[in-house]
Amino acid sequence: MPVSYFLVLSALLFSIGVYGVLARQNAVLVLLSIELMLNAVNINLVAFSALLGQTGVPGQVFALFVIAVAAAEVGIGLAIVILIFRNRQSVDVEEMSLMKW
Amino acid sequence: MATIGHQIVFWIIAVVMTVAAVAVVTARNVVHAALYLVGALMSAAALYILLLAQFVAWVQVLVYVGAIVVLMLFGLMLTNAPIGRASLDNNQRFLAAVTAGVLFLVTSFIMVRAFEGQSIDLVREQGTLTESVGEVIFSAYVLPFEVVSVLLLAALVGAIVIAKRD
C-alpha cells in the first residue's frame, strides 16, 4: 500500500487541528485540537516505522514517547485552565490578555 | 493478496477519522466535541493496527481514550462553558480555514513528491513487532524512557500544585 496515503491522511488531520487551534475560543477546545495535531504526528511516525520494517521499530518507540508527553501536557494544561477559570470565571482565550501590553 | 481488503479498511478508517476530526473542531456543544475526539482517536488506533503496530494501538486506546479524554471531560465540566457557536469560535474562522487548507495542500504535496512510489508491506510474515519494541525500549532507548517517567512525575506534582486551593 503506498505510504503517501497515510502521509496525506496525517497531513489532513494536522490541518484540521491547526484550524481548531486558530478558530476556537474556549481554552479546553484548543487543547482538544492540539491532541488532533499530536495524533497526526504519531500516524506519520508509525507509517514510517512500517515502511522501514524491522529497522523502523524505533519509530513506534517515538510514538509511545509522544503519547506519554501528550498525557503530561494535558494534565498541566487542564490544571492551568482550571486555575484561570477559578480566578477569572472564563476560559475564553481572547480575554487572557493580562500579559499583553 | 490481501491488498484490496487493506484498501477498503484504510478508506473506511480515513472517512471516519476525517468526519470525527472535523466534528471536533466545529461542534457547538463542548461535550460533543470531546466525544467526537474519541472517534478520531479510535480510528487512529485502528490505523496503527492496520500498520502492524499493535502495542502502540493499545497504548493509544488506554492512554488517550482512557485517560486523556476523561481528563478533558472533567476539564469541560469543571469550567462550565457557555454553549453556542458565538461563544466557542472567534471571528477569524474564514482565515483559519484558509490557513489550514494551504497548510494541507503544501504538506501533502511535499510528502507525496518525496515518497512517490514507496509502499508499505502490510502482510509481513514475521508476526508481531511488539517483542522488538520492548527490546528497543529497554536497550537503545532506556535513558529517554526513564526521563519520560521523571517527566510524568513532574507533571503530576506540578498539576496538583497548580490546581489546588491555597
Side-chain angles (χ1 to χ4, degrees):
Chain A
M1 211 169 155
V3 68
S4 48
Y5 283 26
F6 296 95
L7 303 181
V8 170
L9 180 61
S10 108
L12 182 62
L13 197 62
F14 190 87
S15 308
I16 294 171
V18 168
Y19 170 79
V21 169
L22 292 177
R24 287 299 205 183
Q25 223 168 358
N26 184 319
V28 183
L29 292 176
V30 173
L31 280 177
L32 285 185
S33 309
I34 291 174
E35 293 310 309
L36 286 181
M37 291 159 74
L38 286 168
N39 259 279
V41 174
N42 272 350
I43 290 173
N44 258 0
L45 285 171
V46 175
F48 287 133
S49 153
L51 178 68
L52 293 175
Q54 197 68 42
T55 52
V57 169
Q60 294 188 26
V61 178
F62 273 50
L64 293 173
F65 286 153
V66 171
I67 291 173
V69 173
E73 171 250 320
V74 167
I76 294 290
L78 280 175
I80 293 172
V81 167
I82 288 171
L83 188 68
I84 288 171
F85 179 75
R86 201 182 291 150
N87 287 333
R88 304 178 69 107
Q89 276 70 47
S90 161
V91 288
D92 194 331
V93 289
E94 306 274 306
E95 289 173 19
M96 297 177 195
S97 54
L98 201 66
M99 295 172 84
K100 212 157 78 175
W101 60 279
Chain B
M1 291 302 273
T3 316
I4 294 296
H6 284 129
Q7 296 263 1
I8 294 168
V9 170
F10 174 82
W11 285 111
I12 292 171
I13 292 170
V15 168
V16 170
M17 181 186 277
T18 310
V19 169
V22 169
V24 169
V25 295
T26 56
R28 289 166 194 221
N29 186 326
V30 288
V31 178
H32 291 177
L35 294 178
Y36 282 124
L37 185 69
V38 173
L41 298 175
M42 288 301 275
S43 42
L47 206 60
Y48 298 154
I49 288 181
L50 183 71
L51 286 166
L52 302 174
Q54 291 94 343
F55 185 65
V56 182
W58 292 117
V59 169
Q60 166 100 357
V61 172
L62 273 176
V63 175
Y64 263 109
V65 183
I68 290 183
V69 171
V70 172
L71 259 182
M72 288 288 187
L73 284 170
F74 268 110
L76 289 171
M77 287 168 184
L78 287 174
T79 60
N80 52 354
I83 287 170
R85 183 148 222 178
S87 57
L88 291 180
D89 290 4
N90 52 27
N91 49 13
Q92 50 189 357
R93 268 201 303 277
F94 176 71
L95 210 57
V98 170
T99 311
V102 169
L103 187 70
F104 169 65
L105 288 178
V106 170
T107 46
S108 54
F109 178 73
I110 293 170
M111 295 279 206
V112 170
R113 282 286 297 276
F115 293 95
E116 217 168 8
Q118 298 196 47
S119 63
I120 300 175
D121 177 22
L122 291 177
V123 278
R124 249 177 271 127
E125 293 299 321
Q126 67 234 33
T128 166
L129 285 172
T130 304
E131 192 184 341
S132 347
V133 171
E135 276 170 7
V136 169
I137 286 182
F138 290 107
S139 59
Y141 292 93
V142 68
L143 186 64
F145 180 77
E146 297 296 335
V147 171
V148 163
S149 61
V150 175
L151 172 79
L152 282 173
L153 179 66
L156 179 76
V157 175
I160 292 173
V161 169
I162 290 171
K164 82 168 201 268
R165 287 175 199 281
D166 299 315

